[in-house]
Amino acid sequence: MFNEIEEIVVKKEEIQKKVKELAYRISKDYENRELVLIGVLKGGFIFLADLMREMSIQVDMDFISVSSYGNSTQSSGVVRLIKDIDIDITNKYVLIVEDLVDTGLTLKYLKDLFNTREPIDVSICTILDKPSRREINIEIEYKGILIPDKFVVGYGLDYEGKYRNLPDVCVLK
Ligand code: IMP
Ligand code: MG
C-alpha cells in the first residue's frame, strides 16, 4: 500500500494537532448545550473518533451515510442518502463532522436535510478543505487544514474503497 503513494500532503502529526485545536474550540462553544455529532460515512469515521476523544464535554453521536462519488474521482453532483441517523435531533445542537469539503454539495444536502427536523442549530466541522473546487458557497464553522486541488486518500478518505487506513493524507501515483 505504501509504495503506491506519490506524496504526503498532510502528515499525521499535523492532523493530530489540528484535531486537538478544533476539539478545544468546540468544547468551549458548546459547553452546557445538548450537542449531537453526526459523522458522514464512510470517510468521516476516523476524524469523528479522534475529535470526540479530544473533547471535554458530553456529546451524543450518530452516523449518516451519503454518496456523491460512485467509484470515480469526480463528484457526480448528485447526493444519495444511503443510511439515515437513528436519533432525534429536534431541539438539539447538531455538528456535522466531515472528512473533506470539496464542491460543498454533500454538506448543502445534509444541512438542508437536518434543518427540516427542527434542531436548534446545524454547524459544520471538517478536517480537510479543498476550497478551489467549491460549487456552493457554504459556511463552515470549524475548518481544519486547507489542501490543494489534488485527489487525496488516507485518514478516512478512499480511492475505490481503499487507502482509508493510511495515517497521513496522501496523493497516489
Ligand atoms: P463534495 O460533496 O464535493 O463536497 O464532496 C464531499 C465528499 O467527496 C467528501 O466528503 C469525500 O468523501 C469525497 N471526496 C472529495 N474529494 C475527495 C478526494 O480528494 N479524495 C477522496 N474523497 C474525496
Ligand atoms: Mg465524505
Side-chain angles (χ1 to χ4, degrees), residues 16 39 56-57 61 73 76-77 84 100 112 120 123 125 129 133:
Q16 276 163 2
S56 58
I57 56 169
M61 54 83 63
T73 57
S76 64
D84 204 342
L100 169 59
D112 290 350
I120 299 170
S123 290
C125 176
D129 183 20
R133 301 208 341 131

Side-chain angles (χ1 to χ4, degrees), residues 27-79:
S27 299
K28 266 200 348 198
D29 293 353
Y30 290 91
E31 210 178 348
N32 301 318
R33 291 182 167 170
E34 271 195 84
L35 177 62
V36 184
L37 301 177
I38 302 180
V40 186
L41 292 173
K42 297 175 185 166
F45 83 106
I46 290 181
F47 176 42
L48 182 106
D50 284 349
L51 184 74
M52 70 185 294
R53 283 179 295 174
E54 295 293 340
M55 289 173 56
S56 58
I57 56 169
Q58 294 285 0
V59 283
D60 203 345
M61 54 83 63
D62 204 343
F63 286 109
I64 193 160
S65 181
V66 289
S67 166
S68 66
Y69 262 69
N71 268 341
S72 94
T73 57
Q74 285 288 309
S75 173
S76 64
V78 181
V79 181

Side-chain angles (χ1 to χ4, degrees), residues 101-117:
V101 186
D102 188 24
T103 62
L105 291 164
T106 304
L107 282 173
K108 166 87 171 62
Y109 171 89
L110 290 176
K111 213 171 166 174
D112 290 350
L113 175 72
F114 294 143
N115 271 324
T116 63
R117 299 175 186 175

